[in-house]
Amino acid sequence: MSYPMPPESILSLIRRGTVIPASPLALNSRREFDPCRQTALMRYYCQAGAGGVAVGVHTTQFAIRNPEVDLFETVLQTCAQALDEYTRQSGRPVIKIAGIVGRTAQAAREAETALSHGYHAGLLSLSAFGSAPISEMIDHAEEIARLIPLFGFYLQPSVGGRVLPLEFWRKFVLIPNVVAIKIAPFNRYQTFDVIRAVAEEGLENDIALYTGNDDHIITDLITPWTFTVSGNRKILRIRGGLLGQWAVGTKRAVEMLTEIHDLLDTGSDIHPDMLKRNVELTDANAALFDAAHQFRGVIPGVHEVLRRSGLLEGIWTLNPDEGLSEGQFDEIERVLHTYPHLFDDTFIEENRDSWLT
């Protein structure tokens, strides 16, 4: 039975660990797709040093799949063309990850669409399976894995995910072409379950761990996750992040991850300043992601930062009833003023016009 794998250059980059922004969707004032600004976002992420981009995920708005919208392939194609253009010009490979949702028939169609535009892996959402038994979800994952390499995904229940127990992850990690897992339950116990499954199955060199816990980004990246398996002590690391938070401040995120990798590679001590930055980033994320209102304004919050930088024309989403929550504008204003070192205002100002042409 065949399980496709990404090219070696892409696989090595995934395993090394990198910054992967979850791309927003660029719309104009008529709530129509804006390919120029979508392309500008891809150029921003690439020139900021991101190792990849995830498209068709929650931050891109799941509604792009709705029949009356019908933007899924258009958005994937636009982003892929911009990312491929950057790779041709720079010689630097960029990981292309496509969000894959729905029951098996839909997920298979989305995987085939992603493959037709050169995507390297599918970020597999299991939200459509509700309370389905573990065996059904594993059968589904196996079938999609025969089409495209998998980026596993533990999505927090507050935005449509479900609790996935240790038993699930022990089975999921045995799928031969699971190349990475995005851990995003926003829960320390559930985060531990994923890492434990990888450790106990001896797959720490094959499956890269990525944080999606936007409330604990730096803590996830600097923590040594320690296990004893068959009498042997193992230390696992979360090596990168696939994050909606990194759709803004991407260059700063690249610099931060590089610093963390250097510290870990040399065995240097973690300076307390790193923990201070973790708190700052969590505070900033609470404003962007609208934690005060159970994340209702998460997508408009990310859009607002990109609007202020001039990369997006406005904060419009496909849902005309979706916007910033009460008080969220002021909270975003506060964190942008308090933590300017977490954002890319100067870098974007210097390059925005070229990205938009």
Side-chain angles (χ1 to χ4, degrees):
M1 189 175 298
S2 175
Y3 291 88
M5 290 292 284
E8 186 57 39
S9 60
I10 295 295
L11 187 59
S12 296
L13 181 55
I14 292 171
R15 288 173 174 169
R16 166 65 180 163
T18 191
V19 167
I20 303 177
S23 176
L25 176 68
L27 300 176
N28 63 25
S29 60
R30 297 182 299 278
R31 300 183 193 274
E32 299 167 339
F33 181 54
D34 188 336
C36 175
R37 291 186 182 273
Q38 192 72 45
T39 296
L41 286 174
M42 298 303 105
R43 291 169 176 168
Y44 162 45
Y45 298 141
C46 288
Q47 292 191 31
V53 181
V55 184
V57 294
H58 174 252
T59 313
T60 326
Q61 302 178 51
F62 291 134
I64 60 174
R65 298 164 169 83
N66 294 349
E68 66 274 17
V69 176
D70 192 25
L71 279 175
F72 179 73
E73 182 166 12
T74 298
V75 175
L76 259 65
Q77 181 178 23
T78 300
C79 293
Q81 288 173 342
L83 298 173
D84 290 344
E85 177 188 27
Y86 173 81
T87 293
R88 285 193 298 271
Q89 292 177 351
S90 68
R92 182 171 73 85
V94 178
I95 307 161
K96 300 193 293 289
I97 298 174
I100 294 176
V101 309
R103 290 281 181 158
T104 305
Q106 177 184 344
R109 288 194 300 270
E110 293 191 2
E112 289 166 351
T113 298
L115 284 170
S116 73
H117 295 291
Y119 281 77
H120 302 114
L123 183 70
L124 186 66
S125 170
L126 297 171
S127 297
F129 285 81
S131 59
I134 289 172
S135 59
E136 185 176 345
M137 292 188 291
I138 294 298
D139 288 345
H140 167 76
E142 284 269 7
E143 189 157 343
I144 304 307
R146 295 185 192 110
L147 299 172
I148 191 169
L150 296 186
F151 219 107
F153 188 14
Y154 199 161
L155 176 64
Q156 59 169 313
S158 62
V159 291
R162 58 168 284 182
V163 174
L164 297 169
L166 177 63
E167 177 189 358
F168 168 84
W169 292 108
R170 280 178 167 154
K171 296 178 183 297
F172 182 84
V173 299
L174 295 178
I175 297 173
N177 62 344
V178 172
V179 295
I181 300 172
K182 169 179 174 171
I183 311 171
F186 283 43
N187 179 293
R188 311 312 289 161
Y189 302 111
Q190 293 163 1
T191 294
F192 193 86
D193 282 344
V194 179
I195 305 171
R196 178 182 171 187
V198 172
E200 291 184 346
E201 296 299 334
L203 293 166
E204 59 271 17
N205 294 322
D206 301 306
I207 298 177
L209 299 170
Y210 277 67
T211 182
N213 291 321
D214 301 78
D215 61 340
H216 269 286
I217 296 172
I218 294 177
T219 307
D220 274 358
L221 291 167
I222 65 175
T223 297
W225 304 81
T226 306
F227 303 86
T228 300
V229 181
S230 301
N232 297 316
R233 184 170 176 266
K234 294 184 176 184
I235 298 177
L236 277 67
R237 298 281 187 178
I238 294 177
R239 297 294 302 177
L242 196 167
L243 296 155
Q245 170 67 44
W246 284 353
V248 301
T250 310
K251 188 172 188 293
R252 300 295 193 180
V254 170
E255 292 167 354
M256 180 195 72
L257 184 62
T258 299
E259 181 182 352
I260 290 172
H261 279 182
D262 289 345
L263 288 171
L264 299 179
D265 290 347
T266 59
S268 302
D269 291 337
I270 302 297
H271 192 276
D273 180 67
M274 194 68 74
L275 297 177
K276 173 176 171 287
R277 274 189 278 170
N278 182 69
V279 173
E280 294 174 345
L281 193 55
T282 300
D283 186 23
N285 181 260
L288 270 63
F289 275 32
D290 193 26
H293 300 94
Q294 291 72 54
F295 308 101
R296 285 200 302 271
V298 54
I299 293 174
V302 171
H303 286 191
E304 174 61 15
V305 177
L306 293 169
R307 182 197 67 80
R308 290 174 183 233
S309 71
L311 284 172
L312 290 185
E313 186 182 357
I315 69 167
W316 309 291
T317 70
L318 293 168
N319 178 359
D321 296 325
E322 188 174 24
L324 296 175
S325 295
E326 183 178 357
Q328 190 181 3
F329 181 92
D330 291 338
E331 277 294 284
I332 293 173
E333 180 83 17
R334 177 183 67 84
V335 299
L336 290 174
H337 177 74
T338 306
Y339 312 119
H341 53 284
L342 297 179
F343 299 94
D344 289 340
D345 291 353
T346 301
F347 174 65
I348 293 173
E349 179 67 25
E350 292 172 347
N351 294 279
R352 183 183 57 239
D353 291 347
S354 67
W355 296 337
L356 285 167
T357 57

